[in-house]
Structures are given as structure tokens and as C-alpha cells.
Amino acid sequence: MVFDMDGVLVDSEPMHLDAMRELLRPYGVPYTDRENEEFFGFTDPEVFRALRARYGLEPDEYDLTRRRAALLVELTRKRTVPMPGVPDVPNALHRRGYRLAVASSSALDVIRATVDVLGIAALFEAVVSGLEVGRGKPAPDVFLETARRLDLPPRACLVIEDSRNGLLAAKAAGMGCVAIPCPATRHEDFSGADFRLATLSELLPILR
């Protein structure tokens, strides 16, 4: 079972948006809600590369990525809000013998801080960041790397995602996908998902 993190395990979108706007404010970049939606699933270097081209930002994408990750770790310690069903559902899956992993476009330090604050870090055999594989979603790289670390064929993995880009990445990796849209992604097209659920708590019954 491969979990996306933002919007699936934790209600982090407001925090991520605040961090991006705080980071870009000194450069006069407003960073709109539309831009934020445009980059769902992208890694930070991909986002900042696009924003540098768009706004002529001087710092390189990797400096901006490091600064945003540090800010998000700080905010995560103070403002983490679990999604409905967390930590109960991951704990129940672990008790049932499912092997669990996290595959997120967020920086590794942010992922680790988040699962630590949620109290579920010990449940995951693999924690993979899109920054480790280069291309963010909808490319399948982060999910393929997760399957490799679990020593499982992609077809044996089920992905839990909240965005269309995440769904496309899971399907491109040859994995099943359960879509659980969050408030920021409810308008997206999830027609290719194997299941669409309202909350993570609905996952357990379909696995019986």
C-alpha cells in the first residue's frame, strides 16, 4: 500500500501554500491559487524552475527548494493536521499485514517530519521523495522507486492519491489507484481511478 502524503495523510495544502507565498513575497511574486493548482504533484525544483522562467527569479531552484523545505519542517512541527482516518487506518492496515510506504513529491525532511508528528513513522517500510528520483508526478518515477525499494512488482502495489497528477503517475507505473480527493482537488478528473472514496476511512471495507 503506497500512500501519497499531502492531502492523503495530512491536510497540508494551506500550510504549503503559506510557505510558498512567504518564500516568494520578497521577490514580488504573489503565487496565485491557480498557479498552486498547476503544480500539484510537481517536485519543488520543477516548480521553482518554472517560476524562475516566469518571473526572472535570481536564486536557483535548488536554493529555493532547500529554503522552502526548512520552512515547511518548522511549520509541520506546529501546524500538522491529520486527514480523517489518520492514524487509525494506517495502523489498521499494518495490523492486517499490509506493507506500507509513502511516496510524495515533498522533500524527504518534510515527509519524515510529517509522519513523525503523526506518530506513524514506524509503519512505513519505505519513504520516498520525488526529489530523490528527479521527475515529479504525473511521471511514474517516485512510485517505481517505491516498488523497487519494497522489492515488489508495480502491479502488486495499490496507491492512495488525492490528485489527478498522482493518479496518472500511479497508472503510468502500472499500479492500482484509490483516489480520495481533498478539498483542493475535488474538481479534478478521477475517472481512471480503480476506486474513488470520500475519506480514507472508507478504504478498509473495500479491502475485505
Side-chain angles (χ1 to χ4, degrees):
M1 198 79 62
V2 182
F3 287 86
D4 177 40
M5 183 181 74
D6 299 303
V8 173
L9 295 175
V10 63
D11 184 11
S12 56
E13 196 54 43
M15 181 173 64
H16 279 242
L17 186 55
D18 288 348
M20 184 66 84
R21 285 174 173 166
E22 181 175 336
L23 183 63
L24 294 175
R25 190 176 297 115
Y27 305 102
V29 176
Y31 196 70
T32 65
D33 290 344
R34 179 171 292 183
E35 281 178 317
N36 192 53
E37 292 178 7
E38 175 187 344
F39 296 124
F40 282 160
F42 285 46
T43 65
D44 278 357
E46 290 173 320
V47 174
F48 287 126
R49 195 172 299 125
L51 292 176
R52 288 187 74 223
R54 189 172 297 174
Y55 295 110
L57 298 176
E58 183 176 345
D60 69 34
E61 58 264 36
Y62 300 105
D63 178 46
L64 290 166
T65 293
R66 286 190 295 270
R67 289 159 56 190
R68 183 168 186 260
L71 180 57
L72 279 171
V73 168
E74 180 182 346
L75 291 174
T76 294
R77 300 292 183 190
K78 300 174 182 176
R79 292 175 48 183
T80 292
V81 178
M83 295 296 286
V86 178
D88 294 348
V89 172
N91 277 317
L93 291 169
H94 187 261
R95 287 194 300 270
R96 292 185 186 186
Y98 288 96
R99 300 175 65 192
L100 307 183
V102 177
S104 170
S105 297
S106 287
L108 192 58
D109 287 350
V110 177
I111 302 172
R112 287 174 172 163
T114 300
V115 296
D116 182 54
V117 170
L118 293 173
I120 55 176
L123 304 181
F124 299 107
E125 292 185 40
V127 174
V128 186
S129 165
L131 274 68
E132 299 178 277
V133 296
R135 295 189 302 171
K137 306 164 189 176
D141 303 30
V142 70
F143 291 132
L144 292 173
E145 175 61 15
T146 303
R148 187 193 70 79
R149 294 190 193 182
L150 293 172
D151 195 24
L152 289 172
R155 66 179 181 276
C157 300
L158 181 65
V159 173
I160 316 299
E161 264 288 352
D162 73 310
S163 73
R164 175 165 175 78
N165 278 345
L167 164 63
L168 293 174
K171 288 301 181 179
M175 299 179 178
C177 185
V178 174
I180 309 177
C182 70
T185 60
R186 283 177 184 155
H187 63 285
E188 295 184 355
D189 178 9
F190 293 97
S191 57
D194 296 280
F195 296 93
R196 176 171 176 164
L197 308 179
T199 69
L200 188 60
S201 300
E202 296 179 5
L203 178 63
L204 296 177
I206 71 172
L207 297 175
R208 291 173 181 167

